[in-house]
Amino acid sequence: INELNKSAAELNNLLASFERKRTAAATSAQKSAGSKNKAAGPKINVPPHSLPWPVQGKVISPFGKEYRADLNTWIFRDGIKIAASYGAPVRASADGSVIYAGPFRSYGNVVIMDHGKGFFTIYGFLREITVAVGDKVDQLGQVGMVGKDTQSSSGTGQSAVYFEIRQGTTA
């Protein structure tokens, strides 16, 4: 549980640093343009339930609070785990830029995409990453391939993808 909590905290810190940089750049651009309007908070400008899933599959761990009988405790998850075929392509849910691509603690190989205006997606447990930092990826463009959920203590051992959406620092 401690390792899961540390991994989640580190992911939060990483995303908070990306959000601080994005906010600072937006504020600087506003000042340069001479705008006196305060920047609006992050907003995903799409209808609810309209983003495509990164992979076809079934949710095996939901977002939010989940009771783990085997550990006799509750776990809070900021994303979902989706069971999928090992090696299947994992696709971007929206157009964006890759801001992180590599191993990340208990999430295995991870890709983080910035979709603008404080909208980020995270793809974890990837067997292979097929993009690099700075790459522009179209909606449904491949970012990696499905790997295994090997998180210590809460891993299922199944072929799966960890998927998370953030508005700013809020999952």
Side-chain angles (χ1 to χ4, degrees):
I1 297 298
N2 287 339
E3 178 59 28
L4 286 175
N5 289 336
K6 285 179 187 176
S7 292
E10 285 294 320
L11 187 58
N12 284 335
N13 290 338
L14 180 63
L15 288 161
S17 73
F18 290 138
E19 179 60 8
R20 281 191 300 275
K21 288 176 189 172
R22 183 200 67 80
T23 303
T27 301
S28 177
Q30 242 183 347
K31 285 181 182 176
S32 295
S35 175
K36 294 186 190 229
N37 294 336
K38 206 173 187 184
K43 171 126 174 70
I44 299 172
N45 195 18
V46 296
H49 309 290
S50 68
L51 292 174
W53 278 43
V55 67
Q56 285 191 346
K58 177 184 170 197
V59 174
I60 54 174
S61 289
F63 173 84
K65 202 171 175 181
E66 174 185 15
Y67 182 72
R68 292 294 309 256
D70 56 330
L71 301 172
N72 194 31
T73 191
W74 290 90
I75 293 174
F76 189 85
R77 194 175 319 284
D78 286 329
I80 61 174
K81 291 181 183 181
I82 306 168
S85 298
Y86 187 74
V90 177
R91 303 196 179 277
S93 290
D95 297 344
S97 300
V98 177
I99 57 174
Y100 183 89
F104 194 87
R105 298 188 66 106
S106 69
Y107 295 96
N109 287 323
V110 169
V111 170
I112 301 176
M113 292 187 60
D114 181 350
H115 304 282
K117 298 183 181 176
F119 168 29
F120 302 98
T121 53
I122 299 109
Y123 310 84
F125 305 151
L126 302 177
R127 180 183 95 186
E128 184 178 320
I129 295 172
T130 57
V131 293
V133 172
D135 285 356
K136 305 282 186 226
V137 181
D138 291 333
Q139 185 176 46
L140 297 178
Q142 185 171 339
V143 298
M145 296 191 294
V146 175
K148 297 246 184 223
D149 172 8
T150 56
Q151 284 187 323
S152 61
S153 77
S154 76
T156 63
Q158 291 181 307
S159 299
V161 171
Y162 176 80
F163 179 61
E164 187 175 322
I165 299 175
R166 297 262 181 145
Q167 276 187 290
T169 57
T170 304

